[in-house]
Amino acid sequence: MSQQTKFLLNEDQMPKFWYNLQADLPKPLPAVLHPGTLQPIGPDDLAPLFPMALIMQEVSQEREIEIPEPVREVYRLWRPAPLFRAHRLEKILGTPAKIFYKYEGVSPAGSHKPNTAVPQAFFNKEAGVKRLVTETGAGQWGTSLAFAGSLYGMEVEVFQVRVSYDQKPYRRAVMETYGARCVASPSNETVYGRSVLAKTPDHPGSLGIAISEAVELAVQRDDTKYALGSVLNHVLLHQTIIGLEAMQQMEMADVWPDVVVGCTGGGSNFAGIAFPFIGHGLRGGAKPRIVAVEPAACPSLTRGKYAYDFGDTGKMTPLTKLHTLGSQFTPPGFHAGGLRYHGMAPMVSHVKELGLLEAVAYNQIECFEAGVMFARAEGIVPAPEANHAVKGAIEEALRCKREGKAETILFNLCGHGHFDMTAYQKYFSGGLTDEHYDEAELAMALAGLPSVSA
Amino acid sequence: MSQQTKFLLNEDQMPKFWYNLQADLPKPLPAVLHPGTLQPIGPDDLAPLFPMALIMQEVSQEREIEIPEPVREVYRLWRPAPLFRAHRLEKILGTPAKIFYKYEGVSPAGSHKPNTAVPQAFFNKEAGVKRLVTETGAGQWGTSLAFAGSLYGMEVEVFQVRVSYDQKPYRRAVMETYGARCVASPSNETVYGRSVLAKTPDHPGSLGIAISEAVELAVQRDDTKYALGSVLNHVLLHQTIIGLEAMQQMEMADVWPDVVVGCTGGGSNFAGIAFPFIGHGLRGGAKPRIVAVEPAACPSLTRGKYAYDFGDTGKMTPLTKLHTLGSQFTPPGFHAGGLRYHGMAPMVSHVKELGLLEAVAYNQIECFEAGVMFARAEGIVPAPEANHAVKGAIEEALRCKREGKAETILFNLCGHGHFDMTAYQKYFSGGLTDEHYDEAELAMALAGLPSVSA
């Protein structure tokens, strides 16, 4: 069985609890500040945006948080997700390393995002909320919330970043198939959207702007709450089911990773695969190296500043301490739209400050090269976001080859690329270029960070 | 556990044999005739097109044909495939029926097609073949053969029906990602393609034409063989893994279907789900009703003639007895491109003549309505082809409601619609219409059937 390729869990092995890394951190997260008073906020301050159950998860210090049975019931549509050994890729690379990947593209939305969309919709439904409003970049998150909303009979409204709305028309059709309403952002439907369009009528949009629009609408309506697909503690919490399953599957494979690799935009799929392993290490277990791979065109972890900043461009969200390129920074329109966010999750940022992860950035074309190599070797076409994790894993495998080390590498293949084939078309036709941010714009955005003494 | 939704098999429960319905038929299949001599052909006549292992499967009367371990190894990337109970759909329909569906969209290509692409590539590779050439309609088959070819290191060349090539550009990008070459058919690359274009420069293409082009190229080159994604006995044989798994899963669910529903184009996914149940009935087991659902715009089973005909438009293939609209008939360009073929598999046609199945035809829009209802209820967006099976199952469930019968319905959800979202976009924007064939063209095509005394 040394040639075993797929490692599957039974349904009764699916985790019954999410793992909360906050319980094991040597130092607590910095406080979250009110955008007006700059004072630490409490749960009630978040009540206009989220139902109390999610707010309590956001601040919880409990190690294990129960996954409600109605959420597990929906999870079972695609979970437990498979873990694969990439035998063919190893062979092509000629590496002594063992490469494993957890595959989250088996969900109906094609990515890891339903892991949090489902519980978010569930806890909102339980709280009597009728409508969810959100933003989406590439569309993975909007699709997933539309999917979850349809299963719980909730209305869903999605502000999709303009550049992705134009690049990925299929995504909108999927959201509409699930019954959601989809609007290109910046839009004329919000005060903030109109203010952006007044200044820049052809603005490509950004997650930061779309968040502002969604938040603006959510606070205006009593029956409506806001949902976020990444960044927040409770979102990362829901994704830990990825790593919790992977730990059981690595045990089945009778190995333990020396390196865990994930791609990072807002940080949720990365946290999903990495946090359970980090926590295991903090509690005295083996400590794999943890590698976060981000796009060189939007390098919050490798080039951003660790500072207090807004989560959105309109400065409506609370302030959190995070690695940020500045909430006024607009990343260039590269294809991994899900990684196109000015800030990194506060939890991921904190973990980096604690020295518990390494970050690395790669350009668009080298990531597509890695993705095509992976597709031809392993048969799965990765999403452009996931190509970053593939690239990171390949680089680790090549290092092992140079060093003659038979290490075990685990990475998270967070989604398939079926909705992103225009990007691959462009890659094959030679029309794909590496995107670069403007250094002056970045400097200005960093100079404009809010001054907070904390 | 009466509310159980997903029924999963362990890997060691994955069938080790395909099921060959020919072994249990009360009457053998009519002979296959040489296109020139009109005399029955033997295995050697097919040798320019296929490797001998596949030819022997084509004519085998053995009940069980072993699945080689290297094929099972690749199958394990996504198999065994899940069976679901559609609790939410039942509730929405208010039916006393239990609805189950086998889901084949979990394969990396997103449909059932890799079930045969993988063994076809394997047996060709074993026979020393370097290159496979094939045709594809919607692109599901071309994608699947490209996928299988990449895993076995074979070149793959795909003639894609022009109308699908234009409607589904993402499919081509997927084929290219797997390393295949993709050409719109009719093309200038073959004598036959050039002859079609000379008469009709803007010809939308058809599977029949694309098959002629692929066959023409395959017989010209020594290192090249032809591969077909449906219709032939060995292709249907490989798909029986669907029904064999489903039988085990229905036992897990402690029910047995009263009705089995599949959509039919060439007949392979239909045969995959249905043949094991038909064979079980022929051997004395319970006999569910078997319902084949086809598009009203290309109704070979419900409007075609049971006669000897060519498999292709260029009259290069052997003649088989089948339900056909005539090999010169060009179906209109509806979106379920995988069902757009003038003929039905000889095995499926024979089974219908034996009274072992019922056939029904539905229009495009009502099938999309069914698909959207299914997506919102069950969370999976079906391929346009699969929408026909969904429609068929919903009609059976509504009949059960009218008749107050708590029957068990099983259907095959043969693929997801992620590559077909332009069709859904059109449906939502009101731009989708029911396509109709030209009655005069059909009459002419039927009048032009080859006259064979057999």
Side-chain angles (χ1 to χ4, degrees), chain B residues 133-175:
Chain B
V133 57
T134 194
E135 72 295 321
T136 197
Q140 298 272 24
W141 169 243
T143 301
S144 302
L145 196 68
F147 156 77
S150 77
L151 295 184
Y152 291 112
M154 303 184 78
E155 279 179 54
V156 174
E157 202 164 323
V158 183
F159 287 92
Q160 184 172 18
V161 173
R162 164 66 71 183
V163 61
S164 292
Y165 187 92
D166 293 338
Q167 273 177 356
K168 300 169 200 291
Y170 282 20
R171 275 287 175 190
R172 178 183 159 198
V174 187
M175 291 185 247

Side-chain angles (χ1 to χ4, degrees), chain A residues 5-6 10-11 73-74 76-79 84 88 108 147 150-151 167 169-170 173-174 176-179 372 375-381 416 418-419 421-422 424-425 428, chain B residues 5-6 10-11 73-74 76-79 84 88 108 147 150-151 167 169-170 173-174 176-179 372 375-381 416 418-419 421-422 424-425 428:
Chain A
T5 295
K6 187 168 70 170
N10 297 323
E11 286 200 352
E73 192 192 320
V74 178
R76 282 193 285 264
L77 283 175
W78 73 95
R79 304 209 72 89
F84 293 99
R88 291 185 191 78
F147 156 76
S150 78
L151 295 184
Q167 272 177 357
Y170 282 20
V174 188
E176 290 178 351
T177 301
Y178 286 133
V372 170
R376 291 180 186 175
E378 297 296 318
I380 298 170
V381 181
H416 63 60
H418 294 178
F419 297 107
M421 296 314 299
T422 45
Y424 279 90
Q425 272 181 312
F428 286 117
Chain B
T5 295
K6 187 168 69 172
N10 298 323
E11 287 199 351
E73 192 193 319
V74 178
R76 282 192 285 264
L77 283 175
W78 72 95
R79 302 208 74 87
F84 293 98
R88 290 184 191 80
F147 156 77
S150 77
L151 295 184
Q167 273 177 356
Y170 282 20
V174 187
E176 290 178 353
T177 302
Y178 286 132
V372 170
R376 291 181 185 173
E378 297 297 316
I380 297 170
V381 181
H416 64 61
H418 293 178
F419 297 107
M421 296 315 298
T422 45
Y424 280 90
Q425 273 181 312
F428 286 117

Side-chain angles (χ1 to χ4, degrees), chain A residues 146-396:
Chain A
F147 156 76
S150 78
L151 295 184
Y152 292 113
M154 304 184 77
E155 281 179 51
V156 173
E157 202 165 323
V158 183
F159 287 92
Q160 184 172 17
V161 174
R162 164 67 71 182
V163 61
S164 292
Y165 186 93
D166 293 338
Q167 272 177 357
K168 299 169 202 289
Y170 282 20
R171 276 286 177 191
R172 178 183 158 198
V174 188
M175 291 185 248
E176 290 178 351
T177 301
Y178 286 133
R181 184 166 169 263
C182 190
V183 180
S185 167
S187 80
N188 278 310
E189 306 210 356
T190 63
V191 175
Y192 185 67
R194 287 190 291 272
S195 77
V196 174
L197 290 173
K199 268 187 265 179
T200 318
D202 60 346
H203 199 294
S206 70
L207 275 174
I209 292 169
I211 293 171
S212 295
E213 292 205 271
V215 166
E216 184 183 320
L217 278 199
V219 296
Q220 275 169 12
R221 301 184 198 153
D222 276 350
D223 60 353
T224 301
K225 297 275 184 209
Y226 170 68
L228 187 64
S230 190
V231 178
L232 298 176
N233 302 344
H234 69 270
V235 180
L236 276 50
L237 173 78
H238 300 155
Q239 295 294 354
T240 58
I241 193 165
I242 301 171
L244 292 169
E245 286 183 2
M247 288 172 89
Q248 293 183 68
Q249 290 163 311
M250 295 305 281
E251 274 171 15
M252 281 171 73
D254 209 15
V255 287
W256 200 251
D258 298 293
V259 194
V260 176
V261 179
C263 62
T264 43
S268 78
N269 98 81
F270 171 78
I273 190 83
F275 280 9
F277 286 96
I278 294 175
H280 182 74
L282 289 170
R283 293 192 306 277
K287 287 186 165 119
R289 283 173 54 230
I290 307 287
V291 178
V293 185
E294 60 181 11
C298 191
S300 56
L301 274 176
T302 54
R303 294 289 314 275
K305 199 169 157 183
Y306 186 57
Y308 271 98
D309 197 6
F310 296 96
D312 68 327
T313 310
K315 304 186 180 180
M316 298 174 201
T317 69
L319 290 157
T320 53
K321 200 162 183 186
L322 76 180
H323 287 90
T324 180
L325 302 165
S327 68
Q328 305 309 302
F329 175 80
T330 301
F334 55 88
H335 282 277
L339 308 183
R340 211 174 149 265
Y341 184 61
H342 70 270
M344 185 49 58
M347 281 278 281
V348 174
S349 296
H350 185 65
V351 160
K352 173 153 192 270
E353 288 304 301
L354 293 172
L356 300 172
L357 69 79
E358 308 163 31
V360 61
Y362 292 111
N363 280 303
Q364 177 154 266
I365 292 176
E366 59 193 342
C367 291
F368 271 89
E369 280 167 5
V372 170
M373 177 190 268
F374 181 84
R376 291 180 186 175
E378 297 296 318
I380 298 170
V381 181
E385 293 81 1
N387 282 344
H388 290 74
V390 173
K391 172 68 178 169
I394 288 177
E395 286 302 317
E396 290 293 331

